[in-house]
mmCIF file of all heavy atoms in Angstrom:
data_model
loop_
_atom_site.group_PDB
_atom_site.id
_atom_site.type_symbol
_atom_site.label_atom_id
_atom_site.label_comp_id
_atom_site.label_asym_id
_atom_site.label_seq_id
_atom_site.Cartn_x
_atom_site.Cartn_y
_atom_site.Cartn_z
ATOM 1 N N LEU H 8 107.073 117.676 95.771
ATOM 2 C CA LEU H 8 106.123 117.399 96.848
ATOM 3 C C LEU H 8 106.824 116.843 98.085
ATOM 4 O O LEU H 8 106.551 117.291 99.207
ATOM 5 C CB LEU H 8 105.055 116.414 96.354
ATOM 6 C CG LEU H 8 103.921 116.100 97.317
ATOM 7 C CD1 LEU H 8 103.105 117.346 97.623
ATOM 8 C CD2 LEU H 8 103.037 115.011 96.732
ATOM 9 N N LEU H 9 107.736 115.915 97.888
ATOM 10 C CA LEU H 9 108.484 115.367 99.033
ATOM 11 C C LEU H 9 109.335 116.450 99.692
ATOM 12 O O LEU H 9 109.472 116.463 100.926
ATOM 13 C CB LEU H 9 109.361 114.199 98.584
ATOM 14 C CG LEU H 9 108.596 112.902 98.301
ATOM 15 C CD1 LEU H 9 109.506 111.908 97.623
ATOM 16 C CD2 LEU H 9 108.035 112.331 99.579
ATOM 17 N N ALA H 10 109.887 117.350 98.904
ATOM 18 C CA ALA H 10 110.679 118.442 99.472
ATOM 19 C C ALA H 10 109.805 119.392 100.278
ATOM 20 O O ALA H 10 110.149 119.766 101.396
ATOM 21 C CB ALA H 10 111.400 119.204 98.360
ATOM 22 N N SER H 11 108.636 119.775 99.736
ATOM 23 C CA SER H 11 107.805 120.768 100.420
ATOM 24 C C SER H 11 107.052 120.199 101.624
ATOM 25 O O SER H 11 106.906 120.871 102.635
ATOM 26 C CB SER H 11 106.814 121.406 99.439
ATOM 27 O OG SER H 11 105.829 120.496 99.029
ATOM 28 N N VAL H 12 106.596 118.957 101.530
ATOM 29 C CA VAL H 12 105.802 118.385 102.616
ATOM 30 C C VAL H 12 106.663 117.751 103.705
ATOM 31 O O VAL H 12 106.409 117.926 104.893
ATOM 32 C CB VAL H 12 104.783 117.340 102.065
ATOM 33 C CG1 VAL H 12 104.064 116.623 103.188
ATOM 34 C CG2 VAL H 12 103.785 118.023 101.127
ATOM 35 N N LEU H 13 107.709 117.032 103.287
ATOM 36 C CA LEU H 13 108.518 116.284 104.256
ATOM 37 C C LEU H 13 109.920 116.846 104.439
ATOM 38 O O LEU H 13 110.701 116.314 105.233
ATOM 39 C CB LEU H 13 108.610 114.820 103.828
ATOM 40 C CG LEU H 13 107.294 114.044 103.741
ATOM 41 C CD1 LEU H 13 107.547 112.623 103.255
ATOM 42 C CD2 LEU H 13 106.575 114.041 105.076
ATOM 43 N N GLY H 14 110.256 117.892 103.689
ATOM 44 C CA GLY H 14 111.582 118.476 103.818
ATOM 45 C C GLY H 14 112.703 117.588 103.277
ATOM 46 O O GLY H 14 113.845 117.703 103.708
ATOM 47 N N LYS H 15 112.367 116.704 102.338
ATOM 48 C CA LYS H 15 113.363 115.788 101.786
ATOM 49 C C LYS H 15 114.239 116.492 100.746
ATOM 50 O O LYS H 15 113.776 117.373 100.014
ATOM 51 C CB LYS H 15 112.695 114.564 101.145
ATOM 52 C CG LYS H 15 111.903 113.726 102.126
ATOM 53 C CD LYS H 15 112.794 113.178 103.234
ATOM 54 C CE LYS H 15 112.030 112.318 104.198
ATOM 55 N NZ LYS H 15 112.857 111.780 105.259
ATOM 56 N N ASN H 16 115.478 116.102 100.696
ATOM 57 C CA ASN H 16 116.440 116.704 99.777
ATOM 58 C C ASN H 16 116.178 116.200 98.356
ATOM 59 O O ASN H 16 116.290 114.998 98.097
ATOM 60 C CB ASN H 16 117.858 116.319 100.213
ATOM 61 C CG ASN H 16 118.934 116.938 99.344
ATOM 62 O OD1 ASN H 16 118.665 117.562 98.330
ATOM 63 N ND2 ASN H 16 120.170 116.751 99.761
ATOM 64 N N PRO H 17 115.851 117.092 97.411
ATOM 65 C CA PRO H 17 115.611 116.660 96.031
ATOM 66 C C PRO H 17 116.806 115.931 95.411
ATOM 67 O O PRO H 17 116.626 115.044 94.568
ATOM 68 C CB PRO H 17 115.326 117.968 95.285
ATOM 69 C CG PRO H 17 114.821 118.888 96.339
ATOM 70 C CD PRO H 17 115.584 118.515 97.590
ATOM 71 N N ALA H 18 118.015 116.273 95.827
ATOM 72 C CA ALA H 18 119.211 115.660 95.253
ATOM 73 C C ALA H 18 119.341 114.177 95.595
ATOM 74 O O ALA H 18 120.045 113.447 94.903
ATOM 75 C CB ALA H 18 120.449 116.411 95.716
ATOM 76 N N THR H 19 118.657 113.746 96.651
ATOM 77 C CA THR H 19 118.750 112.332 97.038
ATOM 78 C C THR H 19 117.413 111.604 96.894
ATOM 79 O O THR H 19 117.254 110.488 97.393
ATOM 80 C CB THR H 19 119.247 112.204 98.491
ATOM 81 O OG1 THR H 19 118.332 112.869 99.366
ATOM 82 C CG2 THR H 19 120.642 112.775 98.647
ATOM 83 N N THR H 20 116.454 112.242 96.220
ATOM 84 C CA THR H 20 115.146 111.627 96.001
ATOM 85 C C THR H 20 115.168 110.838 94.702
ATOM 86 O O THR H 20 115.543 111.370 93.656
ATOM 87 C CB THR H 20 114.040 112.701 95.955
ATOM 88 O OG1 THR H 20 113.990 113.365 97.223
ATOM 89 C CG2 THR H 20 112.681 112.101 95.649
ATOM 90 N N VAL H 21 114.772 109.579 94.780
ATOM 91 C CA VAL H 21 114.743 108.700 93.616
ATOM 92 C C VAL H 21 113.285 108.444 93.242
ATOM 93 O O VAL H 21 112.473 108.081 94.087
ATOM 94 C CB VAL H 21 115.444 107.363 93.931
ATOM 95 C CG1 VAL H 21 115.332 106.399 92.756
ATOM 96 C CG2 VAL H 21 116.889 107.600 94.318
ATOM 97 N N VAL H 22 112.961 108.633 91.953
ATOM 98 C CA VAL H 22 111.610 108.339 91.449
ATOM 99 C C VAL H 22 111.766 107.381 90.268
ATOM 100 O O VAL H 22 112.528 107.657 89.340
ATOM 101 C CB VAL H 22 110.884 109.622 90.992
ATOM 102 C CG1 VAL H 22 109.490 109.280 90.452
ATOM 103 C CG2 VAL H 22 110.784 110.624 92.128
ATOM 104 N N VAL H 23 111.042 106.263 90.331
ATOM 105 C CA VAL H 23 111.064 105.268 89.269
ATOM 106 C C VAL H 23 109.644 105.121 88.747
ATOM 107 O O VAL H 23 108.700 104.980 89.520
ATOM 108 C CB VAL H 23 111.581 103.914 89.784
ATOM 109 C CG1 VAL H 23 111.495 102.841 88.708
ATOM 110 C CG2 VAL H 23 112.998 104.047 90.316
ATOM 111 N N ILE H 24 109.495 105.137 87.429
ATOM 112 C CA ILE H 24 108.189 104.928 86.795
ATOM 113 C C ILE H 24 108.218 103.589 86.084
ATOM 114 O O ILE H 24 109.059 103.362 85.200
ATOM 115 C CB ILE H 24 107.856 106.054 85.813
ATOM 116 C CG1 ILE H 24 107.790 107.397 86.544
ATOM 117 C CG2 ILE H 24 106.529 105.767 85.100
ATOM 118 C CD1 ILE H 24 107.658 108.600 85.628
ATOM 119 N N ASP H 25 107.333 102.684 86.472
ATOM 120 C CA ASP H 25 107.184 101.388 85.822
ATOM 121 C C ASP H 25 105.902 101.405 85.001
ATOM 122 O O ASP H 25 104.827 101.733 85.525
ATOM 123 C CB ASP H 25 107.079 100.255 86.845
ATOM 124 C CG ASP H 25 108.369 99.985 87.582
ATOM 125 O OD1 ASP H 25 109.454 100.127 86.968
ATOM 126 O OD2 ASP H 25 108.306 99.636 88.775
ATOM 127 N N GLU H 26 106.021 101.052 83.738
ATOM 128 C CA GLU H 26 104.848 100.893 82.896
ATOM 129 C C GLU H 26 104.535 99.390 82.813
ATOM 130 O O GLU H 26 105.385 98.603 82.443
ATOM 131 C CB GLU H 26 105.095 101.465 81.506
ATOM 132 C CG GLU H 26 105.207 102.983 81.523
ATOM 133 C CD GLU H 26 105.350 103.549 80.136
ATOM 134 O OE1 GLU H 26 106.470 103.473 79.603
ATOM 135 O OE2 GLU H 26 104.350 104.051 79.599
ATOM 136 N N VAL H 27 103.310 99.050 83.162
ATOM 137 C CA VAL H 27 102.903 97.657 83.277
ATOM 138 C C VAL H 27 101.910 97.330 82.168
ATOM 139 O O VAL H 27 100.950 98.072 81.953
ATOM 140 C CB VAL H 27 102.255 97.400 84.668
ATOM 141 C CG1 VAL H 27 101.839 95.955 84.807
ATOM 142 C CG2 VAL H 27 103.202 97.821 85.781
ATOM 143 N N ASP H 28 102.150 96.223 81.461
ATOM 144 C CA ASP H 28 101.188 95.773 80.446
ATOM 145 C C ASP H 28 99.851 95.488 81.107
ATOM 146 O O ASP H 28 99.783 95.009 82.250
ATOM 147 C CB ASP H 28 101.693 94.513 79.754
ATOM 148 C CG ASP H 28 102.899 94.770 78.877
ATOM 149 O OD1 ASP H 28 102.980 95.851 78.266
ATOM 150 O OD2 ASP H 28 103.770 93.875 78.814
ATOM 151 N N LEU H 29 98.763 95.754 80.377
ATOM 152 C CA LEU H 29 97.415 95.549 80.944
ATOM 153 C C LEU H 29 97.191 94.119 81.391
ATOM 154 O O LEU H 29 96.480 93.898 82.389
ATOM 155 C CB LEU H 29 96.345 95.951 79.928
ATOM 156 C CG LEU H 29 96.135 97.447 79.723
ATOM 157 C CD1 LEU H 29 95.038 97.680 78.689
ATOM 158 C CD2 LEU H 29 95.799 98.137 81.021
ATOM 159 N N ASP H 30 97.771 93.152 80.703
ATOM 160 C CA ASP H 30 97.529 91.765 81.113
ATOM 161 C C ASP H 30 98.291 91.388 82.376
ATOM 162 O O ASP H 30 98.103 90.301 82.915
ATOM 163 C CB ASP H 30 97.827 90.781 79.975
ATOM 164 C CG ASP H 30 99.254 90.848 79.476
ATOM 165 O OD1 ASP H 30 100.000 91.790 79.830
ATOM 166 O OD2 ASP H 30 99.638 89.950 78.700
ATOM 167 N N ASN H 31 99.103 92.295 82.895
ATOM 168 C CA ASN H 31 99.811 92.080 84.168
ATOM 169 C C ASN H 31 99.247 92.945 85.292
ATOM 170 O O ASN H 31 99.879 93.097 86.329
ATOM 171 C CB ASN H 31 101.313 92.391 83.996
ATOM 172 C CG ASN H 31 101.989 91.420 83.077
ATOM 173 O OD1 ASN H 31 101.666 90.242 83.058
ATOM 174 N ND2 ASN H 31 102.923 91.900 82.306
ATOM 175 N N TRP H 32 98.064 93.515 85.100
ATOM 176 C CA TRP H 32 97.482 94.440 86.064
ATOM 177 C C TRP H 32 96.081 93.949 86.410
ATOM 178 O O TRP H 32 95.288 93.632 85.513
ATOM 179 C CB TRP H 32 97.389 95.835 85.429
ATOM 180 C CG TRP H 32 97.100 96.955 86.377
ATOM 181 C CD1 TRP H 32 95.907 97.218 86.985
ATOM 182 C CD2 TRP H 32 97.990 97.976 86.798
ATOM 183 N NE1 TRP H 32 96.006 98.337 87.761
ATOM 184 C CE2 TRP H 32 97.289 98.832 87.664
ATOM 185 C CE3 TRP H 32 99.318 98.252 86.541
ATOM 186 C CZ2 TRP H 32 97.864 99.942 88.260
ATOM 187 C CZ3 TRP H 32 99.883 99.368 87.119
ATOM 188 C CH2 TRP H 32 99.165 100.198 87.972
ATOM 189 N N GLY H 33 95.765 93.846 87.680
ATOM 190 C CA GLY H 33 94.445 93.387 88.078
ATOM 191 C C GLY H 33 93.859 94.255 89.184
ATOM 192 O O GLY H 33 94.583 94.868 89.965
ATOM 193 N N ILE H 34 92.540 94.293 89.219
ATOM 194 C CA ILE H 34 91.806 95.034 90.253
ATOM 195 C C ILE H 34 90.641 94.156 90.706
ATOM 196 O O ILE H 34 89.903 93.617 89.872
ATOM 197 C CB ILE H 34 91.244 96.378 89.727
ATOM 198 C CG1 ILE H 34 92.356 97.263 89.179
ATOM 199 C CG2 ILE H 34 90.471 97.118 90.828
ATOM 200 C CD1 ILE H 34 91.860 98.500 88.455
ATOM 201 N N GLY H 35 90.462 94.022 91.980
ATOM 202 C CA GLY H 35 89.313 93.284 92.511
ATOM 203 C C GLY H 35 89.247 91.842 92.054
ATOM 204 O O GLY H 35 88.162 91.302 91.852
ATOM 205 N N GLY H 36 90.403 91.227 91.845
ATOM 206 C CA GLY H 36 90.425 89.835 91.442
ATOM 207 C C GLY H 36 90.249 89.595 89.958
ATOM 208 O O GLY H 36 90.125 88.447 89.533
ATOM 209 N N LEU H 37 90.221 90.677 89.179
ATOM 210 C CA LEU H 37 90.020 90.563 87.736
ATOM 211 C C LEU H 37 91.148 91.246 86.978
ATOM 212 O O LEU H 37 91.693 92.241 87.462
ATOM 213 C CB LEU H 37 88.706 91.242 87.328
ATOM 214 C CG LEU H 37 87.413 90.685 87.901
ATOM 215 C CD1 LEU H 37 86.259 91.633 87.591
ATOM 216 C CD2 LEU H 37 87.149 89.309 87.316
ATOM 217 N N PRO H 38 91.459 90.747 85.764
ATOM 218 C CA PRO H 38 92.349 91.531 84.919
ATOM 219 C C PRO H 38 91.721 92.902 84.682
ATOM 220 O O PRO H 38 90.498 93.037 84.621
ATOM 221 C CB PRO H 38 92.417 90.720 83.622
ATOM 222 C CG PRO H 38 92.028 89.324 84.023
ATOM 223 C CD PRO H 38 91.039 89.505 85.142
ATOM 224 N N VAL H 39 92.534 93.934 84.572
ATOM 225 C CA VAL H 39 92.017 95.295 84.510
ATOM 226 C C VAL H 39 91.021 95.506 83.377
ATOM 227 O O VAL H 39 90.038 96.237 83.544
ATOM 228 C CB VAL H 39 93.168 96.331 84.457
ATOM 229 C CG1 VAL H 39 93.870 96.336 83.119
ATOM 230 C CG2 VAL H 39 92.649 97.723 84.777
ATOM 231 N N GLU H 40 91.232 94.876 82.237
ATOM 232 C CA GLU H 40 90.290 95.072 81.131
ATOM 233 C C GLU H 40 88.909 94.508 81.466
ATOM 234 O O GLU H 40 87.886 95.118 81.157
ATOM 235 C CB GLU H 40 90.844 94.473 79.839
ATOM 236 C CG GLU H 40 92.039 95.281 79.327
ATOM 237 C CD GLU H 40 92.666 94.697 78.086
ATOM 238 O OE1 GLU H 40 92.885 93.459 78.052
ATOM 239 O OE2 GLU H 40 92.950 95.477 77.168
ATOM 240 N N ALA H 41 88.856 93.353 82.122
ATOM 241 C CA ALA H 41 87.571 92.787 82.555
ATOM 242 C C ALA H 41 86.919 93.667 83.621
ATOM 243 O O ALA H 41 85.714 93.900 83.600
ATOM 244 C CB ALA H 41 87.770 91.358 83.078
ATOM 245 N N TYR H 42 87.723 94.154 84.541
ATOM 246 C CA TYR H 42 87.223 95.056 85.579
ATOM 247 C C TYR H 42 86.600 96.309 84.965
ATOM 248 O O TYR H 42 85.509 96.737 85.350
ATOM 249 C CB TYR H 42 88.358 95.427 86.529
ATOM 250 C CG TYR H 42 87.967 96.418 87.588
ATOM 251 C CD1 TYR H 42 87.366 96.001 88.766
ATOM 252 C CD2 TYR H 42 88.201 97.786 87.429
ATOM 253 C CE1 TYR H 42 86.994 96.894 89.747
ATOM 254 C CE2 TYR H 42 87.847 98.689 88.406
ATOM 255 C CZ TYR H 42 87.234 98.245 89.567
ATOM 256 O OH TYR H 42 86.871 99.146 90.518
ATOM 257 N N ARG H 43 87.295 96.897 83.990
ATOM 258 C CA ARG H 43 86.768 98.092 83.325
ATOM 259 C C ARG H 43 85.468 97.823 82.600
ATOM 260 O O ARG H 43 84.562 98.673 82.606
ATOM 261 C CB ARG H 43 87.808 98.633 82.347
ATOM 262 C CG ARG H 43 88.991 99.274 83.041
ATOM 263 C CD ARG H 43 90.005 99.725 82.020
ATOM 264 N NE ARG H 43 91.141 100.383 82.656
ATOM 265 C CZ ARG H 43 92.232 100.729 82.006
ATOM 266 N NH1 ARG H 43 92.347 100.501 80.703
ATOM 267 N NH2 ARG H 43 93.214 101.316 82.641
#
C-alpha cells in the first residue's frame, strides 16, 4: 500500500506489529473489556 499510494520503496519500509494484552488497552476511558 505504501509503495502504490506514496511511491515508497518496499526495501526500506519497516512494519512492526505489537500485540497488546487486553488489560493494557483502553477505549473511551475504560479498559477495553469494560468498554466492550
Side-chain angles (χ1 to χ4, degrees):
L8 184 63
L9 285 169
S11 69
V12 173
L13 299 178
K15 298 299 181 180
N16 182 353
T19 60
T20 297
V21 176
V22 180
V23 175
I24 299 172
D25 291 325
E26 291 184 282
V27 181
D28 291 325
L29 285 180
D30 60 348
N31 294 324
W32 193 287
I34 303 171
L37 298 170
V39 72
E40 290 177 315
Y42 177 84
R43 288 177 178 172

